[in-house]
Amino acid sequence: MAGRGSPGFRHISFDERARGKSGQSADYSFDACVRDVDAVLAARGVEQKPILVGWSYGALVAVHWADRNPDRIAGVVSADGAMPWGYTDPENVERIRAMFRKMGPMMPLLRPLGLAARMSAEQHAEINVELNQLEDPGQGLPRGRRGRAGHGRRARLKRAHHQPRMGRSSRPSSGARERE
């Protein structure tokens, strides 16, 4: 769709850390990915409120970016948005890690298909654990958000239902592309 262009809109896409043409990173944390949205917008000189469009993990990053920057966003669109299930108890955290350990040998085959990033199975697992902790009230929420009303998974889903927001995030890289 972006290739078709829309009069009056500028399309900017970029590859998230360890994906597409971007390089690998020492920091794959969720907060780093959310900060990348700011970096891309600044690098491209975006002054108007953007509409973020994202797929899977990027959709969740965009929702969090919009939540942290409500005065700076026009909207968010999610394609197959990642919605963590809140698997934060020790048993489920170990299940996530075990699943990615089993998938480890397949990662090189999945990467060219865009189904895995250029990171280890262990790094994939830890990102998924972190995402689930972000969505579970009282479990590892960033920046002192733990216990604040209206920031749990249900509150976010309720807000998203009334004010749809979703998008794609990434890091500015040599893979950044722009269309006007």
Side-chain angles (χ1 to χ4, degrees):
M1 292 304 294
R4 293 182 177 194
S6 299
F9 286 91
R10 192 168 99 174
H11 169 254
I12 301 170
S13 65
F14 59 99
D15 296 320
E16 194 170 323
R17 295 167 183 241
R19 291 167 175 84
K21 294 180 181 178
S22 70
Q24 290 182 301
S25 173
D27 185 0
Y28 292 114
S29 72
F30 188 76
D31 270 347
C33 293
V34 173
R35 287 190 309 267
D36 288 343
V37 175
D38 283 315
V40 168
L41 295 175
R44 296 298 183 193
V46 175
E47 295 177 11
Q48 292 181 315
K49 293 180 179 183
I51 298 172
L52 300 179
V53 179
W55 174 60
S56 190
Y57 182 78
L60 190 59
V61 171
V63 167
H64 279 264
W65 187 90
D67 187 53
R68 294 177 187 184
N69 299 280
D71 297 336
R72 296 178 57 201
I73 187 79
V76 185
V77 177
S78 171
D80 194 20
M83 293 304 292
W85 295 95
Y87 296 146
T88 56
D89 61 274
E91 182 181 335
N92 281 312
V93 167
E94 184 49 39
R95 281 185 184 167
I96 291 170
R97 290 178 177 143
M99 178 187 69
F100 279 97
R101 277 193 299 273
K102 288 178 185 176
M103 291 175 53
M106 294 187 304
M107 294 295 190
L109 301 172
L110 297 172
R111 286 182 191 118
L113 302 172
L115 300 174
R118 288 183 314 279
M119 59 179 84
S120 70
E122 181 180 342
Q123 289 169 318
H124 274 281
E126 293 310 311
I127 286 172
N128 279 273
V129 167
E130 181 182 18
L131 288 178
N132 280 284
Q133 289 171 340
L134 284 167
E135 292 302 310
D136 188 356
Q139 291 286 330
L141 292 172
R143 296 190 200 160
R145 296 179 100 161
R146 187 176 309 206
R148 271 181 53 191
H151 282 87
R153 182 170 178 231
R154 279 193 198 129
R156 252 190 225 103
L157 290 173
K158 186 176 180 183
R159 277 198 313 266
H161 183 71
H162 295 290
Q163 294 178 323
R165 301 178 184 178
M166 297 259 174
R168 171 171 164 84
S169 89
S170 187
R171 107 182 228 265
S173 69
S174 59
R177 296 169 296 282
E178 185 170 342
R179 292 181 191 245
E180 299 214 30

